[in-house]
PDB file of all heavy atoms in Angstrom:
ATOM      1  N   THR A  99      54.047  58.136 -28.179  1.00 97.00           N
ATOM      2  CA  THR A  99      54.097  59.149 -29.307  1.00 97.00           C
ATOM      3  C   THR A  99      55.518  59.411 -29.737  1.00 97.00           C
ATOM      4  O   THR A  99      55.676  59.401 -31.005  1.00 97.00           O
ATOM      5  CB  THR A  99      53.412  60.362 -28.688  1.00 97.00           C
ATOM      6  OG1 THR A  99      52.097  60.138 -28.345  1.00 97.00           O
ATOM      7  CG2 THR A  99      53.330  61.393 -29.991  1.00 97.00           C
ATOM      8  N   PRO A 100      56.552  59.532 -28.872  1.00 97.00           N
ATOM      9  CA  PRO A 100      57.859  59.700 -29.416  1.00 97.00           C
ATOM     10  C   PRO A 100      58.333  58.649 -30.273  1.00 97.00           C
ATOM     11  O   PRO A 100      59.051  58.855 -31.311  1.00 97.00           O
ATOM     12  CB  PRO A 100      58.735  59.886 -28.150  1.00 97.00           C
ATOM     13  CG  PRO A 100      57.794  60.211 -27.047  1.00 97.00           C
ATOM     14  CD  PRO A 100      56.470  59.545 -27.343  1.00 97.00           C
ATOM     15  N   SER A 101      57.972  57.326 -30.009  1.00 96.00           N
ATOM     16  CA  SER A 101      58.528  56.243 -30.984  1.00 96.00           C
ATOM     17  C   SER A 101      57.880  56.291 -32.170  1.00 96.00           C
ATOM     18  O   SER A 101      58.477  56.101 -33.238  1.00 96.00           O
ATOM     19  CB  SER A 101      58.348  54.869 -30.144  1.00 96.00           C
ATOM     20  OG  SER A 101      56.918  54.578 -30.027  1.00 96.00           O
ATOM     21  N   VAL A 102      56.541  56.643 -32.129  1.00 97.00           N
ATOM     22  CA  VAL A 102      55.842  56.731 -33.416  1.00 97.00           C
ATOM     23  C   VAL A 102      56.448  57.878 -34.331  1.00 97.00           C
ATOM     24  O   VAL A 102      56.686  57.811 -35.461  1.00 97.00           O
ATOM     25  CB  VAL A 102      54.303  57.131 -33.097  1.00 97.00           C
ATOM     26  CG1 VAL A 102      53.652  57.508 -34.455  1.00 97.00           C
ATOM     27  CG2 VAL A 102      53.604  55.809 -32.609  1.00 97.00           C
ATOM     28  N   LEU A 103      56.668  59.001 -33.633  1.00 98.00           N
ATOM     29  CA  LEU A 103      57.270  60.038 -34.469  1.00 98.00           C
ATOM     30  C   LEU A 103      58.641  59.772 -34.889  1.00 98.00           C
ATOM     31  O   LEU A 103      58.932  60.193 -36.015  1.00 98.00           O
ATOM     32  CB  LEU A 103      57.318  61.418 -33.653  1.00 98.00           C
ATOM     33  CG  LEU A 103      55.862  62.047 -33.264  1.00 98.00           C
ATOM     34  CD1 LEU A 103      56.117  63.181 -32.262  1.00 98.00           C
ATOM     35  CD2 LEU A 103      55.327  62.586 -34.524  1.00 98.00           C
ATOM     36  N   ASP A 104      59.464  59.057 -34.164  1.00 97.00           N
ATOM     37  CA  ASP A 104      60.857  58.679 -34.611  1.00 97.00           C
ATOM     38  C   ASP A 104      60.691  57.802 -35.888  1.00 97.00           C
ATOM     39  O   ASP A 104      61.468  57.981 -36.741  1.00 97.00           O
ATOM     40  CB  ASP A 104      61.431  57.931 -33.569  1.00 97.00           C
ATOM     41  CG  ASP A 104      61.938  58.857 -32.182  1.00 97.00           C
ATOM     42  OD1 ASP A 104      61.829  60.111 -32.519  1.00 97.00           O
ATOM     43  OD2 ASP A 104      62.154  58.278 -31.349  1.00 97.00           O
ATOM     44  N   THR A 105      59.759  56.824 -35.753  1.00 97.00           N
ATOM     45  CA  THR A 105      59.586  55.997 -36.961  1.00 97.00           C
ATOM     46  C   THR A 105      59.151  56.782 -38.275  1.00 97.00           C
ATOM     47  O   THR A 105      59.749  56.595 -39.373  1.00 97.00           O
ATOM     48  CB  THR A 105      58.630  54.809 -36.619  1.00 97.00           C
ATOM     49  OG1 THR A 105      59.024  54.019 -35.455  1.00 97.00           O
ATOM     50  CG2 THR A 105      58.449  53.889 -37.901  1.00 97.00           C
ATOM     51  N   LEU A 106      58.253  57.617 -38.061  1.00 98.00           N
ATOM     52  CA  LEU A 106      57.771  58.386 -39.168  1.00 98.00           C
ATOM     53  C   LEU A 106      58.876  59.294 -39.790  1.00 98.00           C
ATOM     54  O   LEU A 106      58.953  59.485 -40.941  1.00 98.00           O
ATOM     55  CB  LEU A 106      56.537  59.224 -38.706  1.00 98.00           C
ATOM     56  CG  LEU A 106      55.291  58.506 -38.340  1.00 98.00           C
ATOM     57  CD1 LEU A 106      54.124  59.423 -37.933  1.00 98.00           C
ATOM     58  CD2 LEU A 106      54.781  57.447 -39.441  1.00 98.00           C
ATOM     59  N   ASP A 107      59.574  59.850 -38.884  1.00 97.00           N
ATOM     60  CA  ASP A 107      60.746  60.729 -39.265  1.00 97.00           C
ATOM     61  C   ASP A 107      61.849  59.992 -40.062  1.00 97.00           C
ATOM     62  O   ASP A 107      62.343  60.333 -41.116  1.00 97.00           O
ATOM     63  CB  ASP A 107      61.443  61.385 -38.045  1.00 97.00           C
ATOM     64  CG  ASP A 107      60.667  62.463 -37.487  1.00 97.00           C
ATOM     65  OD1 ASP A 107      59.652  62.914 -38.067  1.00 97.00           O
ATOM     66  OD2 ASP A 107      60.992  62.889 -36.382  1.00 97.00           O
ATOM     67  N   ARG A 108      61.988  58.617 -39.707  1.00 97.00           N
ATOM     68  CA  ARG A 108      63.063  57.805 -40.349  1.00 97.00           C
ATOM     69  C   ARG A 108      62.562  57.631 -41.856  1.00 97.00           C
ATOM     70  O   ARG A 108      63.451  57.570 -42.643  1.00 97.00           O
ATOM     71  CB  ARG A 108      63.217  56.515 -39.744  1.00 97.00           C
ATOM     72  CG  ARG A 108      64.058  56.561 -38.476  1.00 97.00           C
ATOM     73  CD  ARG A 108      64.569  55.079 -38.002  1.00 97.00           C
ATOM     74  NE  ARG A 108      63.516  54.136 -37.909  1.00 97.00           N
ATOM     75  CZ  ARG A 108      62.882  54.030 -36.738  1.00 97.00           C
ATOM     76  NH1 ARG A 108      63.235  54.843 -35.618  1.00 97.00           N
ATOM     77  NH2 ARG A 108      61.983  53.049 -36.592  1.00 97.00           N
ATOM     78  N   HIS A 109      61.306  57.531 -42.004  1.00 98.00           N
ATOM     79  CA  HIS A 109      60.782  57.277 -43.416  1.00 98.00           C
ATOM     80  C   HIS A 109      60.267  58.388 -44.035  1.00 98.00           C
ATOM     81  O   HIS A 109      59.729  58.238 -45.192  1.00 98.00           O
ATOM     82  CB  HIS A 109      59.711  56.173 -43.218  1.00 98.00           C
ATOM     83  CG  HIS A 109      60.283  54.873 -42.821  1.00 98.00           C
ATOM     84  ND1 HIS A 109      60.757  53.795 -43.629  1.00 98.00           N
ATOM     85  CD2 HIS A 109      60.291  54.294 -41.537  1.00 98.00           C
ATOM     86  CE1 HIS A 109      61.130  52.768 -42.944  1.00 98.00           C
ATOM     87  NE2 HIS A 109      60.758  53.083 -41.700  1.00 98.00           N
ATOM     88  N   ALA A 110      60.377  59.715 -43.429  1.00 98.00           N
ATOM     89  CA  ALA A 110      59.751  60.819 -43.945  1.00 98.00           C
ATOM     90  C   ALA A 110      58.279  60.605 -44.460  1.00 98.00           C
ATOM     91  O   ALA A 110      57.851  61.036 -45.412  1.00 98.00           O
ATOM     92  CB  ALA A 110      60.627  61.336 -45.174  1.00 98.00           C
ATOM     93  N   VAL A 111      57.507  60.042 -43.488  1.00 98.00           N
ATOM     94  CA  VAL A 111      56.211  59.842 -43.630  1.00 98.00           C
ATOM     95  C   VAL A 111      55.321  60.729 -43.018  1.00 98.00           C
ATOM     96  O   VAL A 111      55.401  60.956 -41.695  1.00 98.00           O
ATOM     97  CB  VAL A 111      55.806  58.330 -43.259  1.00 98.00           C
ATOM     98  CG1 VAL A 111      54.222  58.159 -43.175  1.00 98.00           C
ATOM     99  CG2 VAL A 111      56.345  57.281 -44.196  1.00 98.00           C
ATOM    100  N   PRO A 112      54.386  61.444 -43.633  1.00 98.00           N
ATOM    101  CA  PRO A 112      53.468  62.290 -42.891  1.00 98.00           C
ATOM    102  C   PRO A 112      52.255  61.568 -42.397  1.00 98.00           C
ATOM    103  O   PRO A 112      51.855  60.474 -42.923  1.00 98.00           O
ATOM    104  CB  PRO A 112      52.955  63.275 -43.987  1.00 98.00           C
ATOM    105  CG  PRO A 112      53.034  62.413 -45.245  1.00 98.00           C
ATOM    106  CD  PRO A 112      54.186  61.485 -45.031  1.00 98.00           C
TER     107      PRO A 112
END
Side-chain angles (χ1 to χ4, degrees):
T99 307
S101 66
V102 170
L103 289 170
D104 290 345
T105 301
L106 297 178
D107 285 347
R108 282 198 303 273
H109 295 276
V111 164

